[in-house]
Amino acid sequence: MTRSVLDPDERTVGEWIETAGRFVTSFLGDLDDAPAVGPALPAALAHRLGQPPPAAPGRFEDLLATFGEAAGHAMSTAGPRFFAYVPGGGLMSSAIAEMLARAVNRQTAVAWAAPGLVTLEQGVLRWLCAEFGLPEGSSGVITTGASMGTLSVVVAARHRHLGEEFGDGVLYVSDHTHFCVAKAARIAGLRHVRVVPSTAELTMDVPAVARMIARDRAAGLRPFLVVGNAGTTSTGAVDRLDDLAALARREDLWLHVDGAYGGFFQLTRRGRDLFTGIGEADSVTLDPHKGLFLPYGTGVLLVRDLAALRAAHAEDAPYLTGDDAVLPNYGDLGAELTREFRGLRLWLPLHLHGVDAFRATLDEMLDLAAHAHEVLRETPGVAAPWPPPLSTAVFRSVDGNEATRRLLERVHAANTVSLSATTVHERTMIRMCLLSHRSHQVHVDEALDLVRAAASGQDFGSSSSRPPAAQI
Amino acid sequence: MTRSVLDPDERTVGEWIETAGRFVTSFLGDLDDAPAVGPALPAALAHRLGQPPPAAPGRFEDLLATFGEAAGHAMSTAGPRFFAYVPGGGLMSSAIAEMLARAVNRQTAVAWAAPGLVTLEQGVLRWLCAEFGLPEGSSGVITTGASMGTLSVVVAARHRHLGEEFGDGVLYVSDHTHFCVAKAARIAGLRHVRVVPSTAELTMDVPAVARMIARDRAAGLRPFLVVGNAGTTSTGAVDRLDDLAALARREDLWLHVDGAYGGFFQLTRRGRDLFTGIGEADSVTLDPHKGLFLPYGTGVLLVRDLAALRAAHAEDAPYLTGDDAVLPNYGDLGAELTREFRGLRLWLPLHLHGVDAFRATLDEMLDLAAHAHEVLRETPGVAAPWPPPLSTAVFRSVDGNEATRRLLERVHAANTVSLSATTVHERTMIRMCLLSHRSHQVHVDEALDLVRAAASGQDFGSSSSRPPAAQI
């Protein structure tokens, strides 16, 4: 056999995988002791890391060492004490699935190129539709994240409700809706995004939406899309999805539910109770890299009517039957075309660990957030105004925004945990988001101890490597 | 340590990786003998594969066996005899990189979350800019494929040249431009896509573009974007990029070059000669999953001015300095937000194999296509009208379109190679695209022998599993 240097024999590939395996297990072994944020990137190292690829080959081990070094100068997003933004941990079973899928290298933009693999993927998507109470015939597509699913939804709703002349289209979000909706609207060329105020419970004020819709219609505009939250990123607040569904039906709007952060709590009894009405939605975005603990880079879009997605994206969109036997061409359902077999990174973890393990871990996250809230409520100098509806505990200093920012800085100075900040009704709040399968009560208690100590004025030194406290 | 079932100990993870390694090396060992297209998917197997995930855990080995079974019912896109559409093969070094990146699970939407890794990624992108002759300060972003990069370009050009009211914007493509441009325009809400006829050499008729622009301006429309091809998907024809650059400058248009299929031939002397002018482009899309032999799912967008990309996608876009020391936030540069460390799948192969190995393999592909053309020209009953500018040899039966389709069917009936069909100036043509690092002359000659035999009327039986001959 002729072989190119790009196509080494099986022995060499086997050795690379073995070496990669040692790297990974060593990384996992160190994870519990890793600082929350690695040291700042020295200029000399940055210079070395930024070098162009050389003409000649390098050694696999050396390159892994360089990768490991580069990865050390970063937030420890995979670790058990990462409670900032929205963690996910990163299931190893999914990381391994990714190597397998890329090695086998099948193309799944068109179903006939790999029908067996598309069938595996559809099995996961149909199961999700059923879990969310979406009717028979609903389906979906695996994306790289909720932003991509949201874009497809905005484009599909625009196409269905507005047609080609859409300058008068209006969509409605709450003041806690993630900015990916506004970004998608911007990309799709939609100018009218109404921000609906939220109630004292931090949920969308549904009567206010109705009034805004009436006003917009009176002004000759065309309302076409309303976005509800199955857990806002900020605080986990859950909109009244049943009321929004009734409104959307009455007003003939597309109802989209953003479940990027919280959606997978639908797998728990408590989540299902909170999300009543979600099965009435036209579409739901989810982020398995959050609520299913997958590594970054995997979203899911569920839709009631795949034909709407297809009609908006494919030039010639023949009638798509609801027949389950007909596999969808994923390349017709969004902005992407060529597509790796993306399903394995969900299919393998779900089938390997079993769904009950995910339900139990999600329940653990709800318990941990409730526990954190109880402790924070009793912590002197700290206010924790809302019991967490899902897995995000928010709190602040009783001494105002500036004091809250200082409190967060003092907690971070210990460089063992990561929290993040947000703004709710003009108050700066600290968020502690529990959504990593590696986080357990021992880690949460460490963070709570730090908060208690910091709130009592204790100083942990300064963490020079910490980036500017960005808000989500 | 508390451990959840989702977070097994290092020993278990090590065993999984070992098992996955055996699966991969066994798959690679069988690749050379795999049929071009696996058997059709039996209904009973489809039923089994489509089952929802179970409540209880499964066995890793069993699940890998199921995956392997599902993957067998597919086109052998990773094999050495896959010459259909655009192959890429799928470098194992990149598949392994993917496992490593997902295991370490860093977030690269914002540079401060993993500056070391973003620096590695920028090193690759800056090197590419230099290879393409783009000026200092140019940069880029790694996407999931050229369709995504194209969407970002259309949105950025729309934002820069048209502003918020863009109903009068016009963009220009050739009749050989990939449909992803029209799809991106559709998503971005642009209605005027002019299809410019191509010359006898199958390249865009530049004087014709100029005339169409004048006509559109006279009608009160606003031309803003022209798309050239650095290798059409159909035949590999290369547009006169220098002429297009001059036209774009004269008319104040954004010049985008679609190098999804052919762009990486810039790494060869022959490619560079053909692509004269590509360094004048405002943007270039590339598909490393084609021309760098990576597994499916990796595109690259290079842009002269990253600020244009950022201004179009980020709500608040402060002035972005051209300072290389400032790392970009990839989440501001396109439709996506949360983002895995995508750079390793390019960085590791390039640094491991060295750039010379890629240059040599791309040169081999050019040689193979030239060889195929020579043989096809001498094959009785076959017409091969154009010498391949790049690595795609096209030919047809001398007896017309129906005979050409039958010729392709007869070649495919042997089920050892995959070719595909296209239409050029109303003639059905067969394409043989050489772009897998696993394809060498022995495989090409096998295909050419089959074509010769099929053209002489020989019958190889029927391939029931072959999907309907889709065109690209």
Side-chain angles (χ1 to χ4, degrees):
Chain A
M1 261 305 294
T2 6
R3 288 267 192 192
S4 94
V5 54
L6 299 181
D7 190 29
D9 59 24
E10 286 94 67
R11 196 181 48 78
T12 306
V13 171
E15 284 167 7
W16 286 346
I17 294 176
E18 218 180 290
T19 306
R22 280 196 304 273
F23 178 95
V24 167
T25 50
S26 154
F27 171 82
L28 294 176
D30 294 343
L31 208 47
D32 203 51
D33 299 321
V37 179
L41 188 66
L45 177 58
H47 179 77
R48 182 156 62 79
L49 296 177
Q51 288 307 302
R59 281 189 64 237
F60 194 77
E61 289 77 3
D62 296 345
L63 295 169
L64 257 51
T66 302
F67 164 55
E69 200 179 356
H73 297 269
M75 305 197 79
S76 185
T77 36
R81 296 175 194 82
F82 183 71
F83 308 118
Y85 316 103
V86 183
L91 292 177
M92 266 313 302
S93 51
S94 188
I96 298 171
E98 204 54 38
M99 174 177 73
L100 292 164
R102 306 259 175 176
V104 169
N105 196 32
R106 298 293 189 239
Q107 154 77 285
T108 63
V110 285
W112 52 256
L117 299 181
V118 173
T119 302
L120 288 181
E121 192 158 336
Q122 284 299 106
V124 171
L125 291 167
R126 273 201 309 271
W127 165 72
L128 279 174
C129 286
E131 285 287 340
F132 279 84
L134 287 163
E136 195 80 8
S138 304
S139 189
V141 58
I142 301 179
T143 64
T144 57
S147 287
M148 285 303 299
T150 303
L151 175 61
S152 297
V153 162
V154 167
V155 170
R158 185 194 77 188
H159 183 264
R160 164 164 287 181
H161 286 269
L162 303 176
E164 288 213 338
E165 295 278 359
F166 52 74
D168 54 358
V170 193
L171 60 105
Y172 303 83
V173 302
S174 90
D175 52 0
H176 286 286
T177 300
H178 192 272
F179 73 89
C180 72
V181 179
K183 187 181 179 185
R186 198 177 154 90
I187 291 171
L190 291 154
R191 285 193 305 279
H192 304 297
V193 180
R194 300 275 181 261
V195 179
V196 182
S198 54
T199 64
E201 289 77 42
L202 310 181
T203 65
M204 196 183 227
D205 184 340
V206 181
V209 194
R211 287 193 298 274
M212 289 167 111
I213 290 172
R215 205 155 47 227
D216 283 328
R217 286 205 203 279
L221 298 173
R222 286 191 293 163
F224 76 103
L225 169 64
V226 59
V227 179
N229 287 296
T232 61
T233 321
S234 238
T235 67
V238 179
D239 289 337
R240 289 297 308 259
L241 301 178
D242 44 358
D243 291 352
L244 281 174
L247 174 82
R249 251 195 322 271
R250 212 160 55 232
E251 298 282 353
D252 188 28
L253 307 186
W254 181 296
L255 172 62
H256 174 66
V257 174
D258 180 348
Y261 153 58
F264 280 110
F265 287 105
Q266 177 76 9
L267 297 182
T268 68
R269 190 190 47 71
R270 283 174 279 183
R272 271 196 304 282
D273 287 350
L274 282 168
F275 297 164
T276 304
I278 200 167
E280 307 291 314
D282 292 293
S283 52
V284 179
T285 37
L286 301 167
D287 266 342
H289 62 221
K290 298 183 176 106
L292 288 185
F293 319 109
L294 259 61
Y296 293 118
T298 303
V300 162
L301 167 61
L302 302 179
V303 284
R304 175 175 298 268
D305 182 8
L306 212 59
L309 219 50
R310 191 174 196 286
H313 291 94
E315 200 52 57
D316 55 334
Y319 179 69
L320 193 76
T321 72
D323 185 353
D324 275 352
V326 178
L327 295 170
N329 293 328
Y330 294 128
D332 288 344
L333 304 178
E336 297 179 286
L337 180 61
T338 297
R339 186 172 179 283
E340 76 276 17
F341 172 44
R342 212 168 260 174
L344 200 67
R345 54 176 100 143
L346 273 162
W347 183 89
L348 186 62
L350 286 166
H351 285 257
L352 178 64
H353 307 302
V355 174
D356 280 353
F358 290 90
R359 296 192 204 277
T361 306
L362 286 163
D363 262 322
E364 182 187 359
M365 297 300 136
L366 295 174
D367 292 341
L368 288 176
H371 164 71
H373 177 71
E374 285 311 307
V375 173
L376 288 163
R377 249 174 22 122
E378 304 297 324
T379 302
V382 160
W386 309 281
L390 297 174
S391 71
T392 303
V394 294
F395 61 98
R396 59 179 172 81
S397 161
V398 292
D399 297 322
N401 290 352
E402 188 46 40
T404 300
R405 279 189 286 272
R406 275 202 312 274
L407 174 61
L408 179 58
E409 274 167 27
R410 278 203 302 275
V411 170
H412 278 169
N415 202 14
T416 54
V417 306
S418 273
L419 308 176
S420 57
T422 187
T423 304
V424 179
H425 293 168
E426 296 182 8
R427 275 194 200 275
T428 300
M429 307 289 303
I430 301 176
R431 294 170 67 256
M432 181 170 180
C433 184
L434 285 316
L435 204 53
S436 165
H437 65 293
R438 297 198 177 103
S439 299
H440 304 290
Q441 185 161 341
V442 55
H443 308 109
V444 173
D445 284 340
E446 268 183 61
L448 296 172
D449 287 348
L450 278 168
V451 171
R452 192 182 304 106
S456 75
Q458 203 174 313
D459 205 324
F460 306 105
S462 85
S463 166
S464 64
S465 61
R466 173 73 49 177
Q471 299 216 345
I472 55 158
Chain B
M1 261 302 295
T2 7
R3 287 270 193 190
S4 94
V5 53
L6 299 182
D7 190 29
D9 58 25
E10 286 94 67
R11 197 181 47 79
T12 306
V13 170
E15 285 168 6
W16 286 346
I17 294 176
E18 218 181 289
T19 306
R22 280 196 304 272
F23 178 95
V24 166
T25 50
S26 154
F27 171 82
L28 294 175
D30 294 343
L31 208 47
D32 203 51
D33 299 322
V37 179
L41 188 66
L45 177 58
H47 179 77
R48 182 156 62 79
L49 296 177
Q51 288 306 302
R59 282 188 64 238
F60 194 77
E61 289 77 2
D62 296 345
L63 295 169
L64 256 51
T66 302
F67 165 55
E69 199 178 356
H73 298 269
M75 304 196 80
S76 185
T77 36
R81 295 176 195 83
F82 183 71
F83 308 118
Y85 316 103
V86 183
L91 292 177
M92 267 312 302
S93 51
S94 188
I96 298 171
E98 204 54 39
M99 174 177 73
L100 292 164
R102 306 258 176 177
V104 169
N105 196 33
R106 298 292 189 240
Q107 154 77 284
T108 62
V110 285
W112 52 257
L117 299 181
V118 172
T119 302
L120 288 181
E121 192 158 335
Q122 284 299 106
V124 171
L125 290 167
R126 273 201 310 271
W127 166 72
L128 279 174
C129 286
E131 285 286 340
F132 280 83
L134 288 163
E136 194 80 6
S138 304
S139 189
V141 57
I142 302 180
T143 63
T144 57
S147 287
M148 285 304 299
T150 303
L151 175 61
S152 297
V153 162
V154 167
V155 170
R158 185 194 77 188
H159 182 264
R160 163 163 288 181
H161 287 269
L162 303 176
E164 287 213 338
E165 296 277 359
F166 53 73
D168 54 358
V170 193
L171 60 105
Y172 303 83
V173 302
S174 90
D175 52 0
H176 286 285
T177 300
H178 192 271
F179 74 88
C180 72
V181 180
K183 186 181 179 184
R186 199 177 153 91
I187 291 171
L190 291 154
R191 285 193 305 278
H192 304 297
V193 181
R194 300 275 181 261
V195 180
V196 182
S198 54
T199 65
E201 289 77 42
L202 310 181
T203 66
M204 196 183 227
D205 183 341
V206 181
V209 193
R211 287 193 299 274
M212 289 167 111
I213 290 172
R215 206 155 46 226
D216 284 328
R217 287 206 203 278
L221 298 173
R222 286 191 292 164
F224 76 103
L225 169 64
V226 59
V227 179
N229 286 296
T232 61
T233 321
S234 238
T235 67
V238 179
D239 289 338
R240 288 298 308 258
L241 301 178
D242 44 358
D243 291 352
L244 281 174
L247 174 83
R249 250 195 324 271
R250 212 161 53 233
E251 298 282 353
D252 188 28
L253 308 185
W254 182 296
L255 172 61
H256 175 66
V257 174
D258 180 348
Y261 152 58
F264 279 111
F265 287 105
Q266 177 77 10
L267 297 182
T268 69
R269 190 190 47 71
R270 283 174 279 182
R272 272 195 304 282
D273 288 348
L274 282 168
F275 297 164
T276 303
I278 199 166
E280 307 292 314
D282 292 293
S283 52
V284 180
T285 38
L286 301 167
D287 266 341
H289 61 221
K290 298 182 177 108
L292 287 184
F293 319 109
L294 259 61
Y296 293 119
T298 304
V300 162
L301 167 61
L302 301 179
V303 283
R304 175 174 298 268
D305 182 8
L306 212 59
L309 219 50
R310 191 175 196 285
H313 291 94
E315 200 52 57
D316 56 334
Y319 178 69
L320 193 76
T321 72
D323 186 354
D324 275 354
V326 178
L327 295 170
N329 293 329
Y330 295 128
D332 288 344
L333 304 178
E336 298 179 286
L337 179 61
T338 298
R339 186 171 179 284
E340 75 277 16
F341 172 45
R342 213 169 259 173
L344 200 67
R345 54 176 100 142
L346 272 162
W347 184 89
L348 186 63
L350 286 165
H351 284 257
L352 178 65
H353 306 303
V355 174
D356 280 353
F358 290 89
R359 296 192 203 275
T361 306
L362 286 163
D363 262 323
E364 182 187 359
M365 297 300 137
L366 295 174
D367 292 340
L368 288 177
H371 165 70
H373 177 71
E374 285 311 307
V375 172
L376 288 163
R377 249 174 22 122
E378 304 297 324
T379 302
V382 161
W386 308 281
L390 297 174
S391 71
T392 303
V394 294
F395 61 98
R396 60 180 171 81
S397 162
V398 292
D399 297 323
N401 290 352
E402 187 46 41
T404 300
R405 279 189 286 272
R406 276 201 313 273
L407 175 61
L408 179 57
E409 274 167 28
R410 278 203 303 274
V411 170
H412 278 169
N415 203 14
T416 54
V417 306
S418 273
L419 307 176
S420 57
T422 187
T423 304
V424 179
H425 292 167
E426 296 182 8
R427 276 194 199 275
T428 300
M429 307 289 302
I430 301 176
R431 294 171 67 257
M432 181 170 180
C433 184
L434 286 315
L435 205 52
S436 166
H437 65 293
R438 297 198 179 102
S439 299
H440 304 291
Q441 185 162 340
V442 54
H443 308 109
V444 173
D445 284 341
E446 269 183 60
L448 296 172
D449 287 349
L450 278 169
V451 171
R452 193 182 303 106
S456 75
Q458 203 174 314
D459 205 325
F460 306 105
S462 86
S463 165
S464 64
S465 61
R466 174 71 51 176
Q471 300 215 346
I472 55 159

